[in-house]
Amino acid sequence: MSDLSHQPRKIRQTLAIDALLGMDGVPLGKPPEPPEPPAHPEVSADQHRLTSASSPAPAVDIQSMMDIPHPTADAWADAPVGDDLSPDQKQALLDDLNRQYVSGCTKCELCRERKNTVFGVGHPDADLMFVGEGPGRDEDEQGEPFVGRAGQLLDKQIAAMRLSRADVYIANIVKCRPPGNRVPTPDEADQCVPYLLRQIQIIQPKVIVGLGATAVKYLLNDPRIAITRTRGQWRKFHDIDFMPTFHPAYLLRQYTTENRQRVWSDLQAVMAKLGI
Ligand code: URA
């Protein structure tokens, strides 16, 4: 990094954070919108079981989301939610969920080729939760989310927010690697999302960051949503503040200054919301 010692402290901090994120300049003004990335062919609106863009996410609480048809949902109908639980109690519930349901799950075809399920990692009482799409090759090998190249970029983003992986919670829409890193099918996501909902119900984060189109579509219950138009805008996942942003893997593929500025401004909005 160039010598910043003559700059006022605030500017020095900003430049240092930008450099951490791999950015080489301070965002000036609003960058132009990029062309929309192609939709994943696997998630055509017709085959998707979720509601259309014109129907907003239903205003129900997370508990009732658990009532969607899923054998494990019954088991959680009277399960404790995170409001009054200590971090240790939350961790125990998360461990239980993983041990009893996720680690041996055979609800969809993804179980056939997986090496490991990838449950989630981080602080059981985190204020901030990141949700990605699904494990890739490295995550499948190690059983931990976001440990490959995209994960390294996510780590830098988290560090730039003056946090560490241990401060936040990281999970995915699906817990098993889709072969060839394809997008999970709607059926695979439908089978797996109740596990994520239960994780959210236990952790009760203040803010969820949706990383990329798949996470945003499923959490906002809108299969037609365009990440390029939605990112950067505060939404609600039930009563939890929800910030959609680009997936780190997309950012690595489209590593433009504008895209890095967009993601950084989304993360700065999250920092402001959390008072970081
Ligand atoms: N991409 C994701 O969406 N999740 C991971 O865990 C890794 C890469």
Side-chain angles (χ1 to χ4, degrees):
M1 202 192 322
S2 57
D3 178 20
L4 305 173
S5 54
H6 62 288
Q7 302 282 5
R9 190 163 145 264
K10 184 82 186 160
I11 297 178
R12 274 206 315 275
Q13 275 177 350
T14 307
L15 289 171
I17 290 167
D18 287 353
L20 253 177
L21 263 180
M23 291 175 46
D24 32 34
V26 181
L28 292 173
K30 197 174 184 319
E33 283 298 314
E36 196 159 312
H40 290 296
E42 292 85 352
V43 190
S44 84
D46 289 343
Q47 70 181 141
H48 205 295
R49 294 211 294 107
L50 299 177
T51 51
S52 72
S54 54
S55 336
V60 291
D61 62 17
I62 293 174
Q63 185 68 48
S64 68
M65 283 283 286
M66 306 304 292
D67 294 339
I68 62 176
H70 191 282
T72 55
D74 287 347
W76 303 329
D78 298 319
V81 292
D83 291 331
D84 300 320
L85 301 174
S86 72
D88 284 350
Q89 287 171 319
K90 291 184 178 194
Q91 187 60 60
L93 286 174
L94 291 168
D95 290 346
D96 207 41
L97 174 68
N98 191 16
R99 195 176 43 248
Q100 278 198 48
Y101 298 105
V102 176
S103 63
C105 182
T106 55
K107 289 187 180 304
C108 78
E109 294 288 303
L110 295 184
C111 68
R112 290 174 183 268
E113 293 187 40
R114 73 168 181 236
K115 291 198 175 121
N116 288 293
T117 51
V118 178
F119 179 72
V121 73
H123 201 291
D125 201 24
D127 284 344
L128 176 57
M129 184 162 176
F130 290 91
V131 177
E133 177 176 291
R137 185 196 306 273
D138 296 315
E139 291 76 20
D140 180 51
E141 295 276 351
Q142 297 180 41
E144 184 167 327
F146 283 98
V147 291
R149 271 191 79 219
Q152 286 160 19
L153 179 55
L154 180 62
D155 285 349
K156 283 189 189 172
Q157 293 171 343
I158 292 169
M161 298 173 80
R162 297 186 220 123
L163 296 169
S164 74
R165 258 173 105 89
D167 296 321
V168 302
Y169 199 88
I170 306 172
N172 281 308
I173 292 292
V174 293
K175 311 288 189 221
C176 298
R177 181 190 183 205
N181 296 346
R182 63 166 171 73
V183 177
T185 65
D187 183 56
E188 290 159 357
D190 284 352
Q191 294 298 328
C192 215
V193 157
Y195 298 137
L196 175 64
L197 297 182
R198 180 70 183 133
Q199 286 173 298
I200 295 170
Q201 191 187 38
I202 293 168
I203 296 165
Q204 296 276 317
K206 293 194 171 76
V207 172
I208 297 174
V209 174
L211 299 169
T214 300
V216 172
K217 283 175 184 180
Y218 283 100
L219 289 179
L220 293 184
N221 204 18
D222 182 350
R224 291 168 209 261
I225 212 156
I227 184 70
T228 45
R229 280 198 288 272
T230 318
R231 64 134 283 277
Q233 295 170 26
W234 283 110
R235 308 291 281 266
K236 283 278 184 188
F237 175 76
H238 303 275
D239 56 347
I240 300 172
D241 288 309
F242 183 86
M243 173 57 77
T245 195
F246 289 144
H247 193 288
Y250 172 76
L251 194 55
L252 286 172
R253 287 197 305 275
Q254 305 288 330
Y255 204 63
T256 62
T257 304
E258 288 79 11
N259 282 342
R260 283 178 281 162
Q261 288 171 351
R262 288 183 178 105
V263 171
W264 181 224
S265 84
D266 300 346
L267 298 180
Q268 283 179 305
V270 171
M271 291 168 73
K273 179 78 75 180
L274 290 172
I276 299 171

